[in-house]
Amino acid sequence: MIFISHQHKDKEIVSPIAYQLEEIYGEDNVFYDDWSIKPGENIIERMNEGLERCQFFFYFITENSLKSPMVTLEWTNALKERSAGIQFIPVRAEDVNVPKIISALSYLDMSTNGIETTLRQIQDIVSPGVEKKKKDIPTFNNLQAYVTHENFNSFYYVIRAKRFFEPSGTIVAATNLDQTEGEFKALNAPMYNSGFSENALTLNNTEVMNAFTINFPGGIRKGFDFEASFNFKEKENRKSGQVYLFHLKEGDKLEPIELITVISKDQIPQPS
């Protein structure tokens, strides 16, 4: 059995992994509170039952889980049982210090590598070579962007990572405009690359769009905002042109960026 030890406030980043593992290995082989602990059941008893069957214990280390007495009880018990055959694997899910008692152990660094890489690493530990199945499962988009109209002819974006570092720093503005009609540029990055590709992607399997790209070579780190703008070179382009923002991840996977519309820059909160 795979035991997923986490704090409930971190479900947005843990659930995408837990549900993928449930789809691959089956609900009975993955201990996760969404399905392993039913309403009214004794939490401690169910946790002990899970630990008794556990072969792989994944402890997701975050600021929330480090403060949780229940999570601490789970991982300290699992650590004691390592000699009984439990493989104890810490997962550093945020930029926090790993507890000294387990700092000598090898751990997975989701805060640096992201969810997709961490999931592949977990599968390699549990059973190398098992293929992922496709299913509607929880997703988590680490990037979000605040967007406002600087003026009638431009969008202003503040792009940030919500929880952890993104090694790919490529942002794609998908639009039906071409290079003579629009311009996508970074505003506060000392170094970045830009590009344009015609008919580069298809939205909703129907609409073929052009891609303006900007790439931040060092990736996108939590706590540091990138500012960008999409400028319409003519007023009529603003009326006819639509712009969608995506993050180009490893493996050429396009992930939509959550857009939060604000009236002015003053409404954009400071990064945490």
Side-chain angles (χ1 to χ4, degrees):
M1 171 178 279
I2 301 166
F3 195 108
I4 306 293
S5 179
H6 71 294
Q7 213 278 338
H8 67 89
K9 293 180 181 178
D10 299 319
K11 281 190 175 295
E12 64 176 358
I13 58 174
V14 178
S15 285
I17 288 179
Y19 277 78
Q20 285 275 20
L21 295 174
E22 180 269 338
E23 174 67 6
I24 295 167
Y25 302 108
E27 185 177 292
D28 292 340
N29 294 313
V30 179
F31 188 96
Y32 187 61
D33 58 0
D34 276 14
W35 56 79
S36 298
I37 302 177
K38 303 295 189 297
E41 290 185 332
N42 186 296
I43 296 176
I44 300 297
E45 287 183 2
R46 293 294 293 130
M47 183 186 75
N48 285 336
E49 291 172 7
L51 288 173
E52 287 176 359
R53 294 182 54 207
C54 175
Q55 294 174 284
F56 303 95
F57 185 96
F58 292 94
Y59 167 37
F60 285 78
I61 305 172
T62 66
E63 184 177 346
N64 293 322
S65 67
L66 288 172
K67 296 176 181 177
S68 169
M70 179 61 69
V71 176
T72 300
L73 179 64
E74 290 177 355
W75 74 257
T76 52
N77 275 315
L79 194 60
K80 291 177 184 177
E81 296 297 325
R82 287 182 68 208
S83 59
I86 291 181
Q87 190 169 345
F88 183 93
I89 304 101
V91 181
R92 185 171 174 264
E94 281 184 341
D95 186 14
V96 295
N97 293 325
V98 176
K100 289 185 180 298
I101 193 172
I102 58 176
S103 60
L105 301 176
S106 296
Y107 61 85
L108 306 182
D109 197 346
M110 191 167 84
S111 68
T112 298
N113 297 322
I115 288 177
E116 290 84 2
T117 296
T118 301
L119 178 61
R120 290 196 298 269
Q121 291 172 332
I122 289 175
Q123 287 182 243
D124 288 341
I125 290 170
V126 175
S127 56
V130 173
E131 295 183 359
K132 289 193 297 183
K133 300 177 183 178
K134 296 185 181 296
K135 182 183 180 181
D136 290 333
I137 61 172
T139 59
F140 173 70
N141 292 353
N142 189 37
L143 293 190
Q144 63 182 184
Y146 292 89
V147 57
T148 185
H149 298 286
E150 282 194 301
N151 52 60
F152 188 79
N153 287 332
S154 69
F155 289 129
Y156 168 80
Y157 301 99
V158 172
I159 302 164
R160 69 177 49 157
K162 292 190 285 187
R163 296 294 294 261
F164 43 76
F165 171 68
E166 287 289 349
S168 169
T170 301
I171 306 299
V172 178
T175 177
N176 56 349
L177 303 178
D178 62 30
Q179 284 180 295
T180 66
E181 300 169 317
E183 178 188 34
F184 190 39
K185 63 181 181 179
L187 301 177
N188 68 333
M191 294 181 60
Y192 74 96
N193 305 312
S194 61
F196 174 81
S197 298
E198 189 175 5
N199 300 330
L201 51 93
T202 304
L203 297 186
N204 301 320
N205 297 319
T206 56
E207 190 173 6
V208 178
M209 307 198 84
N210 301 325
F212 291 81
T213 60
I214 52 178
N215 175 261
F216 308 109
I220 300 174
R221 297 185 178 278
K222 181 179 183 293
F224 182 84
D225 288 344
F226 282 109
E227 299 175 27
S229 67
F230 191 95
N231 303 313
F232 301 90
K233 295 183 178 180
E234 301 291 343
K235 288 184 178 181
E236 57 268 22
N237 296 335
R238 172 65 185 87
K239 295 178 181 179
S240 61
Q242 292 180 307
V243 181
Y244 305 91
L245 222 56
F246 293 89
H247 179 210
L248 182 61
K249 300 175 72 70
E250 295 177 344
D252 294 332
K253 177 184 177 184
L254 274 178
E255 186 174 88
I257 294 177
E258 175 190 1
L259 292 180
I260 302 171
T261 302
V262 295
I263 296 175
S264 68
K265 294 180 182 180
D266 295 338
Q267 293 184 328
I268 300 174
Q270 293 298 311
S272 58

